[in-house]
Amino acid sequence: MAAATTIVSGGSRGLGLALVERLLARGDNVATFSRSGSARLKQLQADHATRLHAEIADAANSTQLQRFVAATVGRFGRIDHCVANAAVAHDGVLATLSDAAIDDMLAINLKGSIVLVRECVRQMLLQPGPSAPTAVGAEATQEAAQEATRGSLPGGSVSSIVVVSSVVAMRGSPGLAVYAATKAGLEGFARSLARELGPRGIRVNAIAPGFLETDLSAALSPTDRTRIVRRTPLGRLGAAADVTGAILFLTGPQAAFMTGQTLTIDGGGSS
Ligand SMILES: NC(=O)c1ccc[n+]([C@@H]2O[C@H](COP(=O)([O-])OP(=O)(O)OC[C@H]3O[C@@H](n4cnc5c(N)ncnc54)[C@H](OP(=O)(O)O)[C@@H]3O)[C@@H](O)[C@H]2O)c1
């Protein structure tokens, strides 16, 4: 059986990098991009030269996204899963937030994710399933054609999209209103797209992590950090590794009948 090909946006650090490592360990071909690289990503490229494709590209640039997806298909021949992970969070109460900060979050978190998913979906709809039956006679040819439009993987699994949201989309957080708006937008996008693509065998889900120990949350004040930890039933901030398992599940055969859902991974909630 051919290896699945999975795209992860923002794979240079944080959750994206941890996910790239887990997907490589699962045996996937992995394609990722970010605006800058990292030493760890370079090391992974050296260690997995034939299975990891990494590029410098900006999620806010649709042309670069289209080129990245085309390059991934050129390299691995297909796309089975897409994880829209890249995002930025400009902290600040709305009254003080600049147009540039608002535009940046909308362009990267929301539009960038939507365009990346659209490019992946276009490919998924075109490609045959890896185990499409060899056509013998008219009936078999028709079956093969149907299979070819379903984006199916062997073993009953199907192609999938995962968008990375945040608990602040549902729960809200002062200073993160615009960031929360982009994440709430992504969750609505995922729910509707799940209905649109379910009949074509493509599942679409979201994950909503709580605060994670990554660069994105580095701006948390010590007071806020202590408050969040105190209010979290599991008593700590999350790690990237706490979230990668859920994404592996959502992109794997165990989640074959799951679409249109948001999985919250937040240690039990911090409100
Ligand atoms: N950390 C948290 O507390 C937390 C909580 C809930 C949800 N999340 C979500 O989890 C996801 C990952 O967050 P993280 O904590 O891992 O963030 P992070 O450590 O800041 O990493 C973000 C990744 O996205 C890339 N990226 C950002 N802007 C980009 C752009 N314009 N084009 C291409 N790549 C871009 C970054 O690389 P470059 O900067 O080099 O481009 C980096 O690889 C995000 O969707 C975030 O909203 C995070």
Side-chain angles (χ1 to χ4, degrees):
M1 179 171 73
T5 297
T6 303
I7 280 181
V8 179
S9 65
S12 60
R13 52 194 159 82
L15 176 58
L17 177 61
L19 183 60
V20 167
E21 297 205 50
R22 288 287 305 269
L23 290 166
L24 286 168
R26 181 167 81 173
D28 289 21
N29 297 318
V30 181
T32 190
F33 68 91
S34 49
R35 294 165 301 178
S36 49
S38 67
R40 180 62 191 145
L41 189 60
K42 264 201 192 116
Q43 183 59 51
L44 286 173
Q45 277 184 283
D47 293 346
H48 302 276
T50 57
R51 289 199 296 122
L52 176 58
H53 176 80
E55 276 189 29
I56 297 298
D58 187 344
N61 185 318
S62 295
T63 308
Q64 290 182 17
L65 290 179
Q66 283 162 359
R67 281 199 200 120
F68 165 77
V69 171
T72 301
V73 175
R75 174 109 188 248
F76 298 125
R78 57 184 294 112
I79 296 169
D80 297 293
H81 309 290
C82 170
V83 182
N85 164 77
V88 291
H90 298 299
D91 206 355
V93 292
L94 183 63
T96 66
L97 217 54
S98 67
D99 275 19
I102 295 170
D103 286 346
D104 208 33
M105 286 187 275
L106 291 172
I108 296 169
N109 304 5
L110 191 55
K111 186 179 173 202
S113 297
I114 289 170
V115 171
L116 175 66
V117 169
R118 181 192 68 193
E119 293 307 307
C120 288
V121 165
R122 283 177 174 167
Q123 170 61 26
M124 287 170 178
L125 291 172
L126 280 178
Q127 70 200 8
S131 66
T134 311
V136 182
E139 199 179 315
T141 305
Q142 197 183 0
E143 268 178 28
Q146 282 168 355
E147 178 77 9
T149 61
R150 284 182 57 80
S152 301
L153 277 176
S157 183
V158 287
S159 302
S160 70
I161 310 289
V162 176
V163 298
V164 180
S165 178
S166 162
V167 287
V168 305
M170 285 301 290
R171 207 171 285 155
S173 180
L176 287 175
V178 177
Y179 173 78
T182 64
K183 296 302 187 177
L186 275 184
E187 288 188 27
F189 169 70
R191 270 192 294 275
S192 287
L193 198 60
R195 291 190 173 273
E196 192 173 306
L197 294 176
R200 311 301 296 270
I202 301 171
R203 300 182 296 101
V204 188
N205 292 291
I207 57 151
F211 284 99
L212 304 173
E213 298 274 16
T214 66
D215 292 353
L216 198 87
S217 57
L220 271 182
S221 70
T223 318
D224 283 346
R225 180 177 291 264
T226 307
R227 181 179 48 79
I228 292 166
V229 168
R230 199 181 56 240
R231 292 183 183 176
T232 301
L234 291 181
R236 61 175 175 86
L237 291 193
D242 292 317
V243 178
T244 51
I247 301 177
L248 259 69
F249 165 70
L250 287 173
T251 57
Q254 304 289 341
F257 200 49
M258 190 169 165
T259 195
Q261 304 302 309
T262 297
L263 265 189
T264 299
I265 306 142
D266 66 350
S270 65
S271 51

